[in-house]
């Protein structure tokens, strides 16, 4: 079998655009799609190089699937290749979520829409619980990790500890633990060994690292400077236009912080987004946050794109461009939130890729991640309880328990844990049940 022909930038661009529209299934599904397309079918990159890139992206905060696309695009076609690959992974989802969020706000009280969401919300509760289990099976390898997870749950559930404080404490425990008990905090497993048999790849195991992917201090400084300049330009424009305390400026600052805390995937940062967007700034309500997660689960792209829904609803509720321009203001807010959420991901790859890759496998670097991931399990479990409370007692504990919502949640959990049902079939079935119950009662 011959090595594939070199891939032009335009050919790669067409693939990344296609990927942006078919990347359903959360990080695992998106990574599986990229593996099938890039390793098995097109042979643009070998199994080992693909896994090496994936392991690197797993060490970073941010959506690992989007960063993996950015990494491979950068490896193939330099910085512009990475920018195009990463941007096209996100933009289709942004446009789709803006449209769905508008429909939700304008027609959300229509019985059909209300019925669909009545069934989807319990399914989302089960999905969050399943995410806690899925991450827990990888992260909680010993009693120390179980202890960190339990402590993080108590901290956020009983004491309402801010998520950044939990991440910082867990990271510190992991760093100190690597000095005293290195075997406890060593990352285990990885993603398995390479599977041969796909034939020679364009970027193969023995292909030398291209010059643009080798560490260079000058290149690192330039990339960091460009990333910082873009952030300052964006924040400066928002502050000069509406002021620091205005909604758009606060969104830009808040979601910059959120982007740096997404260790463990989107489910890990959702509690932080909830604390800020719902409780602190009151850009949207708790039930609206659940609805946004449901929409995020049904669209392509990284699940963290739920922040675009948060931005849209917040921009609409706060009328950031005035009451006569609700849609334009909401769409602008969604775009601002998306920009500040994903800008750090591009900087991590384009600036830090060669540098961080050199540290892969060093315990002092990976041990804090192990502890943070364990803490994330406790945080996600708290999120599942929060969703269950709002779904099963939608009007508070003083009002009757919603047995139908609870039954849908249990059925969805059984489908996920026992029958390994996919996300889209699960949401579709639960939506149909919710619609039928709403129309028939």
């Amino acid at each position: 079998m011959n090595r594939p022909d070199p891939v032009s930038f335009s050919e790669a661009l067409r693939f990344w655009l296609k990927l942006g529209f078919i990347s359903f299934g959360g990080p695992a599904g998106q990574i599986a799609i990229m593996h099938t397309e890039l390793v098995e079918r097109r042979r643009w990159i070998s199994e080992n190089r693909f896994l090496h890139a994936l392991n690197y992206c797993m060490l970073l905060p941010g959506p690992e699937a989007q960063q993996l696309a950015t990494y491979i695009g950068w490896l193939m076609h330099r910085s512009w290749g990475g920018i195009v690959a990463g941007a096209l992974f996100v933009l289709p989802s942004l446009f789709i979520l803006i449209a769905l969020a508008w429909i939700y706000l304008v027609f959300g009280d229509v019985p059909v829409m209300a019925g669909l969401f009545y069934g989807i919300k319990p399914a989302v509760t089960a999905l969050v619980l399943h995410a806690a289990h899925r991450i827990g099976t990888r992260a909680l390898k010993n009693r120390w990790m179980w202890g960190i997870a339990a402590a993080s749950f108590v901290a956020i559930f009983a004491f309402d500890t801010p998520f950044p404080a939990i991440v910082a404490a867990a990271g510190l425990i992991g760093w100190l633990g690597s000095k005293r008990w290195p075997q406890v905090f060593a990352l285990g497993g990885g993603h398995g060994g390479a599977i041969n048999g796909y034939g020679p790849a364009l970027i193969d195991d023995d292909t030398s690292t291209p010059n643009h992917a080798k560490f260079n201090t000058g290149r690192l400084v330039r990339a960091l400077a460009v990333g910082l300049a873009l952030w300052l330009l964006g924040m400066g424009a928002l502050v000069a236009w509406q002021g620091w305390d205005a909604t758009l400026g606060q969104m830009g600052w808040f979601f910059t912080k959120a982007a740096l805390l997404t260790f463990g995937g989107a489910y890990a940062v959702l509690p932080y987004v909830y604390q800020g967007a719902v409780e602190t700034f009151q850009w949207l309500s708790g039930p609206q946050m659940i609805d946004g997660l449901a929409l995020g689960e049904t669209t392509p792209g990284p699940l963290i794109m739920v922040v675009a829904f948060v931005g849209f609803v917040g921009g609409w509720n706060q009328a950031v461009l005035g009451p006569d321009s609700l849609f334009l203001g909401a769409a602008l807010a969604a775009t601002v939130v998306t920009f500040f959420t994903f800008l750090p991901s591009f900087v991590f790859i384009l600036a830090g890729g060669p540098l961080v890759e050199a540290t892969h496998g060093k315990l002092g670097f990976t041990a804090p991640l192990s502890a943070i991931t364990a803490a994330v399990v406790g945080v996600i479990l708290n999120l599942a309880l929060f969703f269950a409370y709002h779904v099963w007692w939608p009007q508070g504990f003083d009002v009757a328990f919603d047995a139908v919502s609870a039954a849908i949640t249990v059925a969805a959990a059984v489908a996920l844990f026992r029958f390994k049902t996919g996300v889209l079939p699960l949401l579709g079935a639960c939506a149909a049940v919710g619609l039928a119950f709403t129309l028939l009662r």
Side-chain angles (χ1 to χ4, degrees):
M1 189 179 295
N2 296 325
R3 193 180 301 273
D5 295 329
V7 178
S8 67
F9 185 84
S10 60
E11 182 182 354
L13 187 149
R14 288 192 296 271
F15 169 75
W16 298 124
L17 179 61
K18 170 189 172 184
L19 181 66
F21 282 99
I22 65 172
S23 56
F24 290 96
Q30 292 155 1
I31 291 168
I33 290 171
M34 279 190 278
H35 184 276
T36 300
E37 291 285 340
L38 297 176
V39 178
E40 299 177 31
R41 288 189 55 215
R42 302 170 189 266
R43 292 185 286 124
W44 287 0
I45 187 169
S46 70
E47 175 85 5
N48 280 328
R49 296 294 285 269
F50 181 90
L51 292 178
H52 181 70
L54 176 58
N55 284 329
Y56 162 37
C57 295
M58 291 289 288
L59 297 176
L60 299 172
E64 61 265 31
Q66 185 263 351
Q67 290 173 335
L68 178 61
T70 305
Y71 186 102
I72 296 174
W74 162 71
L75 200 58
M76 294 179 64
H77 294 110
R78 307 176 68 88
S79 295
W80 277 113
I83 292 170
V84 166
L88 291 179
F89 198 89
V90 171
L91 288 178
S93 179
L94 173 62
F95 295 137
I96 292 170
L97 273 174
I98 286 176
L100 290 177
W102 177 79
I103 293 171
Y104 167 80
L105 288 173
V106 175
F107 301 104
D109 292 331
V110 174
V112 171
M113 289 292 293
L116 292 174
F117 277 100
Y118 181 79
I120 288 175
K121 289 179 185 179
V124 170
T125 303
L127 283 167
V128 175
L129 182 61
H130 186 250
H133 175 266
R134 189 175 65 246
I135 297 174
T137 56
R138 297 199 310 264
L140 308 183
K141 298 297 187 182
N142 54 59
R143 62 183 182 180
W144 292 94
M145 295 302 178
W146 277 95
I148 292 173
S152 71
F153 173 79
V154 172
I156 197 168
F157 179 80
F159 301 102
D160 200 25
T161 305
F163 182 61
I166 294 175
V167 169
L172 180 61
I173 290 171
W175 182 76
L176 293 174
S178 68
K179 310 295 184 182
R180 185 71 181 273
W181 305 284
Q183 72 282 358
V184 171
F185 293 91
L187 283 175
H191 298 276
I195 302 172
N196 298 316
Y198 302 124
L202 186 63
I203 302 176
D204 217 329
D205 296 351
D206 57 356
T207 304
S208 60
T209 301
N211 288 330
H212 70 269
K214 295 178 180 178
F215 177 71
N216 178 282
T217 303
R219 191 179 294 121
L220 170 64
V221 171
R222 287 194 299 272
L224 288 173
V226 170
L228 180 60
L230 288 173
W231 185 86
L232 289 173
L233 184 63
M235 281 300 300
L238 293 176
V239 172
W241 178 30
Q242 293 189 337
W244 174 257
D245 293 327
T247 299
L248 291 178
Q250 289 298 302
M251 283 183 172
W253 176 238
F254 174 75
F255 283 100
T256 296
K257 293 185 291 182
L260 301 175
L261 295 169
T262 51
F263 290 98
Y267 284 112
V269 80
L270 285 175
Y272 178 63
V273 173
Y274 168 78
Q275 284 181 330
V278 177
E279 296 181 347
T280 303
F281 296 105
Q282 298 180 344
W283 291 327
L284 74 171
S285 67
Q288 285 177 327
M289 182 75 183
I290 302 174
D291 294 342
L293 183 56
L295 287 177
E297 291 276 14
T298 62
T299 56
L303 181 58
I304 193 59
M305 280 303 296
V306 68
V307 300
F309 176 89
V310 172
F312 189 93
V313 176
W316 182 287
N317 290 339
Q318 301 295 318
V320 295
L321 293 183
D324 296 328
S325 301
L326 289 179
F327 175 80
L328 289 178
L332 175 61
T335 304
V336 165
V337 164
T338 302
F339 173 80
F340 285 102
T341 298
F342 284 92
L343 177 61
S345 289
F346 287 97
V347 175
F348 288 143
I349 299 297
L350 301 181
L355 180 63
V356 178
E357 189 173 279
T359 66
H360 181 69
K362 294 184 179 180
L363 187 60
F365 185 80
T366 60
L369 179 66
S370 296
I372 289 171
T373 305
V376 159
V377 176
V379 172
I380 297 175
L381 181 59
N382 174 73
L383 184 68
L385 291 180
F386 162 77
F387 280 0
Y389 161 70
H390 281 278
V391 170
W392 297 353
W393 289 275
Q395 297 176 338
F397 283 121
D398 296 334
V399 183
F401 172 71
D402 191 338
V404 175
S405 290
I408 296 175
T409 304
V410 172
V414 171
L416 286 168
F417 284 93
R418 177 67 178 84
F419 299 104
K420 313 298 182 186
T421 305
V423 171
L424 289 180
L426 177 76
L427 292 175
C430 291
V433 171
L435 178 62
F437 176 78
T438 301
L439 296 180
L440 292 176
R441 67 178 173 178

